[in-house]
Amino acid sequence: QQLKLIVDNIVDWARSQMEEVQINKEPFDIIKTTNFLATVYKPIAEDKEVSIQINTPGESQFCIADKNHIRLVLRNLLDNAVKYTHPSSSILIEFDKVSESVRCSIQNSFMETTNSDGNTRTTGLGIKLCEDYLSRNGSSLNKEILGNIIRFSFLLPSAELN
């Protein structure tokens, strides 16, 4: 599972560097996409006794972006959250409206993982892809750390009429 994600990230990164990435911005339900990914990651999280909680302002929230790009961003952030969250804790995914945008945030407690040489075990490629794909969709990835809690968030234009 982890190897497949790494290979997928490398392929996506290489494609983005060759400027082959096409952007297809259209309205889509980001909550539906997130619920699907949470269902996929639920068995992996449960193996670590980690729960995934999703707080939403309603049953659906449509935003305008490239659905495939945002799915990749959510997948990478959720994968990292599951991988680096302390056992017996939770991952919180929240959506809220900010002006005419939708904010998505993923928060979890985290643990540093290091190799025997003391270096952190990560390529950072997944986060780099998230930043790149969000940038292509007119957004950016924000990171906040408070103690052992990390929170990644981003804004996307809402497709909902106010």
Side-chain angles (χ1 to χ4, degrees), residues 104-152:
C104 173
S105 62
I106 299 179
Q107 173 179 303
N108 59 285
S109 63
F110 71 96
M111 54 187 177
E112 290 268 339
T113 56
T114 55
N115 295 326
S116 57
D117 62 4
N119 292 324
T120 301
R121 284 189 335 199
T122 179
T123 62
L125 185 56
I127 294 296
K128 179 66 181 143
L129 267 173
C130 291
E131 292 170 340
D132 183 48
Y133 278 17
L134 286 169
S135 175
R136 291 171 188 261
N137 282 274
S139 187
S140 60
L141 185 63
N142 300 304
K143 177 173 121 180
E144 303 168 76
I145 299 176
L146 183 61
N148 72 331
I149 303 293
I150 189 164
R151 178 183 176 116
F152 287 97

Side-chain angles (χ1 to χ4, degrees), residues 42-50:
K42 185 177 180 183
I44 301 165
E46 286 176 344
D47 284 347
K48 288 182 66 176
E49 298 179 7
V50 170

